[in-house]
Amino acid sequence: MIQFDNVSKKYPLGNSALEDAAFFIDKQEFVFFVGPSGAGKTTILKLILKQINPSSGSIFVNDVDIADKKFHDTLKLRRSIGMIFQDFKILFDRNVFENVALSLEIASAGKNSIKKEVEEALSTVGIIDKKLMFPVQLSAGELQRVAIARAIVGGQDIILGDEPTGNLDPKTSWDIMKIFKKLESDKTILIATHNVDIVNSFKKRVITLDGGKITADEKKGGYHL
Ligand SMILES: Nc1ncnc2c1ncn2[C@@H]1O[C@H](COP(=O)(O)OP(=O)(O)OP(=O)(O)O)[C@@H](O)[C@H]1O
Ligand SMILES: [Mg+2]
């Protein structure tokens, strides 16, 4: 679960990026964050990852107030979150398997369990046959599949996507969104996006932001231009 209680964020040199944001997202909910550029979508995702801290308010991730904790005391919690970016952030000197295995290696998992978990994640996203290929040999859609595999490989129960289809053509965007749909049965999924068609056809919860303020929070909502 993720809960924001009156969360505001003012960047040191910026204006107010988020003002009094409040919402509760339950386990296994699927939520889109929409709104014009600069609305505060990425700021919300960064706050959940504790990449930044709020200026005021409380942020609960799985019942823990992360705003109240030191960064190094939130490691376990942050490991339960998988993040996917618009530009994939794949390491180009490692093959597909190695990219997905990295976080498990850092967490000192055993070799056999790493192999099992990586192969499972690659099967889920449909690129097990590409496991030994290098990023330069993959299409953008395939790179995003690698990024999703990396985000789910440790059994993370919260998945954040920051414009995960922003660099993809319409057909590939749908294929990627179908993967997220497949994951929703046992994960909490938050996706920031400008993709009007996908938001409107998914009929999921939509939280709309504008200028740092939540202007709508609708079950089975849409992207109102
Ligand atoms: N590091 C920073 N320093 C100062 N201001 C920032 C910083 N990061 C973001 N902002 C400002 O905070 C506001 C919200 O930015 P944010 O990145 O959350 O928007 P967004 O909704 O993700 O936009 P986009 O759709 O373009 O990705 C913007 O006005 C932005 O300029
Ligand atoms: Mg953004």
Side-chain angles (χ1 to χ4, degrees), residues 25 27 52 66 74 85 109 127 139 146 190-191 213 224:
I25 297 173
K27 281 195 176 92
I52 54 173
I66 58 165
T74 59
F85 302 90
I127 47 164
S139 69
V146 177
L190 279 67
I191 295 189
K213 292 198 180 76
H224 311 296

Side-chain angles (χ1 to χ4, degrees), residues 79-97:
R79 279 202 181 133
S80 69
I81 305 175
M83 178 75 189
I84 296 144
F85 302 90
Q86 177 175 357
D87 60 355
F88 324 130
K89 298 213 192 301
I90 298 295
L91 301 173
F92 275 74
D93 58 344
R94 288 175 164 250
N95 68 24
V96 167
F97 183 97

Side-chain angles (χ1 to χ4, degrees), residues 14 23 36 42 48 53 67 69 78 82 95-96 102 105 113 130 147 155 165 169 171 178-179 189 204 214 219:
F23 54 81
T42 299
I48 295 167
N53 286 309
K69 290 206 173 292
R78 283 183 284 113
N95 68 24
V96 167
L102 188 61
E105 283 166 9
S113 85
K130 303 251 163 39
T165 61
D169 67 70
K171 158 84 171 66
K178 278 187 210 146
I179 299 174
I189 299 179
K204 296 291 181 187
I214 294 177
K219 272 189 193 331

Side-chain angles (χ1 to χ4, degrees), residues 9-18 34-46 52 86 162-163 192-194 209 211-212:
K9 175 66 186 178
K10 199 175 178 310
Y11 287 102
L13 294 172
N15 49 352
S16 190
L18 204 60
V34 304
S37 194
K41 305 179 295 296
T42 299
T43 298
I44 286 180
L45 301 182
K46 283 184 175 169
I52 54 173
Q86 177 175 357
D162 198 357
E163 299 184 37
T193 184
H194 291 288
L209 292 146

Side-chain angles (χ1 to χ4, degrees), residues 57-220:
S58 309
I59 298 172
F60 295 89
V61 177
N62 294 345
D63 294 318
V64 177
D65 183 355
I66 58 165
D68 212 29
K69 290 206 173 292
K70 294 210 171 72
F71 186 73
H72 68 258
D73 291 334
T74 59
L75 178 66
K76 199 166 154 248
L77 212 55
R78 283 183 284 113
R79 279 202 181 133
S80 69
I81 305 175
M83 178 75 189
I84 296 144
F85 302 90
Q86 177 175 357
D87 60 355
F88 324 130
K89 298 213 192 301
I90 298 295
L91 301 173
F92 275 74
D93 58 344
R94 288 175 164 250
N95 68 24
V96 167
F97 183 97
E98 291 163 345
N99 261 284
V100 178
L102 188 61
S103 65
L104 299 178
E105 283 166 9
I106 292 169
S108 319
K111 210 175 159 200
N112 288 342
S113 85
I114 290 178
K115 186 171 185 302
K116 184 172 166 285
E117 289 203 50
V118 171
E119 290 186 348
E120 223 170 86
L122 290 175
S123 297
T124 301
V125 301
I127 47 164
I128 186 72
D129 54 326
K130 303 251 163 39
K131 72 174 177 178
L132 296 178
M133 299 195 50
F134 278 83
V136 285
Q137 300 171 296
L138 302 180
S139 69
E142 288 163 345
L143 287 173
Q144 197 56 302
R145 286 171 193 264
V146 177
I148 298 173
R150 190 183 51 188
I152 61 173
V153 73
Q156 294 89 325
D157 55 10
I158 297 172
I159 305 296
L160 311 179
D162 198 357
E163 299 184 37
T165 61
N167 283 337
L168 306 175
D169 67 70
K171 158 84 171 66
T172 311
S173 297
W174 275 102
D175 292 344
I176 291 297
M177 289 309 299
K178 278 187 210 146
I179 299 174
F180 286 116
K181 213 166 189 176
K182 201 161 79 176
L183 295 174
E184 84 178 299
S185 60
D186 67 344
K187 297 185 191 299
T188 310
I189 299 179
L190 279 67
I191 295 189
T193 184
H194 291 288
N195 196 318
V196 180
D197 289 344
I198 282 173
V199 173
N200 286 340
S201 73
F202 263 57
K203 303 202 166 39
K204 296 291 181 187
R205 181 173 172 191
V206 179
I207 296 179
T208 306
L209 292 146
D210 197 356
K213 292 198 180 76
I214 294 177
T215 56
D217 182 349
E218 303 169 293
K219 272 189 193 331
K220 298 190 180 174

